[in-house]
């Protein structure tokens, strides 16, 4: 049997049953388990199935992008915990970038006492929060809101003007929100939004993803970079990350910080 025929059989079975086991497929098709594993790996990279321990499952259903205010209410406590932890990583006199998203907005809200910061963002809500903190003296420094076309759904600026401006900065840390944690890389709904986040990461000494664990169970439209570009993922323990995703993060050397809903616990791929 040709590999293409085998993979079609595997795909049909996944569509019918939702998942398949490597050992069962090998026995049914009369091939070695390693042959089935190679098939599943290839199908996973083609974004046809999701590889899991011992087999494969159907891809998660695509969620629909929701308005910014509505998204902020989902997993709100996890966003707050993640944002608070992220803010604790910001030190005096650093140059920090934040893109759009509920967790990055909470990171902005949680800054307190840092001095002489340079804060750069393309997010209108984040800029509003930071402007208020600067005016009240809760932090000191300066705020730069990047220009570009405004996207009302995400409350961000994007496009050529925004990308051109980012190329002129060098950041100590960049905090990025995501729509989903894909196995090949972080995902967003709008390619233009992803282009801005990827541009931030290229100009940063340290790229930090802020993502609730529920986003490990979602899919989105566009993988905007791979995990090799990421130094740290801050998430929560409400949902277990898929084993394939955990292995990808480990291979890429991403430090994973997992926060308990009651208190904080670290999982370390290196010291903070």
């Amino acid at each position: 049997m040709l590999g293409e025929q085998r993979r079609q059989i595997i795909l049909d079975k996944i569509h019918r049953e939702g998942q398949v086991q490597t050992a069962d497929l090998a026995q049914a098709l009369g091939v070695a388990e390693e042959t089935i594993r190679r098939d599943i790996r290839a199908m996973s990279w083609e974004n046809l199935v999701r590889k899991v321990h011992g087999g494969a499952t159907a891809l998660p259903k695509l969620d629909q992008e929701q308005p910014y205010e509505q998204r902020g209410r989902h997993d709100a406590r996890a966003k707050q915990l993640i944002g608070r932890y992220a803010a604790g990583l910001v030190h005096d006199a650093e140059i920090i970038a934040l893109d759009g998203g509920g967790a990055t907005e909470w990171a902005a809200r949680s800054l307190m006492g840092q001095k002489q910061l340079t804060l750069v963002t393309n997010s209108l809500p984040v800029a509003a929060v930071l402007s208020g903190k600067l005016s009240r003296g809760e932090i000191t420094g300066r705020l730069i809101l990047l220009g570009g076309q405004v996207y009302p759904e995400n409350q961000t600026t994007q496009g050529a003007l925004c990308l051109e401006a980012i190329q002129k900065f060098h950041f100590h840390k960049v905090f990025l929100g995501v729509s989903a944690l894909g196995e090949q890389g972080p995902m967003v709904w709008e390619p233009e939004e992803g282009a801005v986040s990827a541009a931030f990461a290229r100009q940063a000494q340290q790229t930090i993803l802020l993502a609730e664990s529920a986003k490990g169970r979602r899919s989105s439209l566009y993988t905007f970079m791979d995990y090799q570009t990421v130094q740290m993922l801050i998430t929560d323990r409400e949902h277990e990350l898929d084993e394939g995703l955990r292995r990808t993060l480990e291979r890429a050397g991403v430090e994973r910080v997992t926060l308990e809903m009651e208190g904080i616990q670290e999982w370390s791929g290196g010291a903070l």
Side-chain angles (χ1 to χ4, degrees):
M1 182 182 296
L2 296 175
E4 185 175 343
Q5 295 173 306
R6 221 173 29 246
R7 291 168 195 170
Q8 187 60 53
I9 291 171
I10 294 170
L11 192 59
D12 290 343
K13 187 174 178 65
I14 287 176
H15 285 163
R16 289 194 310 271
E17 302 177 12
Q19 62 181 2
V20 293
Q21 298 294 320
T22 301
D24 294 343
L25 284 170
Q27 184 175 3
L29 297 177
V31 297
E33 290 188 23
E34 180 55 33
T35 300
I36 299 298
R37 281 192 284 270
R38 284 198 300 269
D39 288 336
I40 288 174
R41 280 197 296 271
M43 295 167 72
S44 173
W45 279 105
E46 292 173 12
N47 212 31
L48 297 173
V49 302
R50 186 166 198 169
K51 181 168 64 69
V52 298
H53 181 64
T57 66
L59 290 172
K61 291 183 179 180
L62 292 177
D63 302 309
Q64 295 299 313
E65 181 78 310
Q66 296 174 328
Y68 182 85
E69 294 81 2
Q70 188 173 347
R71 295 201 309 271
R73 293 194 291 270
H74 294 170
D75 305 301
R77 189 153 179 245
K79 286 181 171 72
Q80 183 176 357
L81 279 173
I82 290 166
R84 285 171 50 198
Y85 190 97
L89 301 178
V90 176
H91 305 302
D92 291 352
E94 285 192 320
I95 305 169
I96 302 296
L98 305 95
D99 71 357
T104 52
E105 184 178 338
W106 269 109
R109 290 181 182 277
S110 302
L111 291 171
M112 186 63 68
Q114 291 94 337
K115 303 182 187 316
Q116 297 181 323
L117 296 177
T118 298
L119 299 156
V120 181
T121 187
N122 70 319
S123 166
L124 304 182
V126 169
V129 168
L130 293 173
S131 179
K133 296 187 83 69
L134 287 165
S135 68
R136 292 188 297 270
E138 295 172 359
I139 57 175
T140 68
R142 58 181 173 170
L143 168 64
I144 299 170
L145 174 61
L146 298 174
Q149 182 175 346
V150 174
Y151 283 68
E153 298 84 358
N154 294 325
Q155 293 290 293
T156 56
T157 58
Q158 300 172 22
L161 292 174
C162 189
L163 292 171
E164 182 180 349
I166 291 172
Q167 293 172 15
K168 305 200 174 144
F169 287 94
H170 295 279
F171 307 108
H172 291 104
K173 296 183 179 80
V174 167
F175 296 100
L176 303 179
V178 301
S179 299
L181 293 169
E183 194 164 325
Q184 278 75 53
M187 305 178 77
V188 291
W189 277 100
E190 297 293 338
E192 293 83 0
E193 179 186 3
V196 170
S197 298
F200 273 138
R202 286 193 294 271
Q203 303 302 115
Q205 294 177 17
Q206 187 178 23
T207 297
I208 302 171
L209 296 184
L210 310 184
E212 312 88 90
S213 61
K215 290 182 176 176
R217 298 186 169 192
R218 297 175 189 162
S219 187
S220 191
L221 177 67
Y222 184 72
T223 302
F224 62 91
M225 64 184 186
D226 61 41
Y227 291 114
Q228 299 289 337
T229 312
V230 177
Q231 282 71 53
M232 182 185 292
L233 165 67
I234 307 174
T235 186
D236 62 87
R237 200 180 291 281
E238 187 72 9
H239 304 284
E240 189 69 23
L241 297 183
D242 177 82
E243 183 175 350
L245 174 58
R246 293 200 307 271
R247 289 181 176 177
T248 300
L249 292 168
E250 289 166 8
R251 285 196 298 268
V254 177
E255 180 178 356
R256 180 157 50 94
V257 176
T258 304
L259 309 180
E260 299 284 0
M261 299 306 283
E262 297 293 341
I264 293 176
Q265 178 177 346
E266 292 179 18
W267 179 94
S268 178
L272 287 177

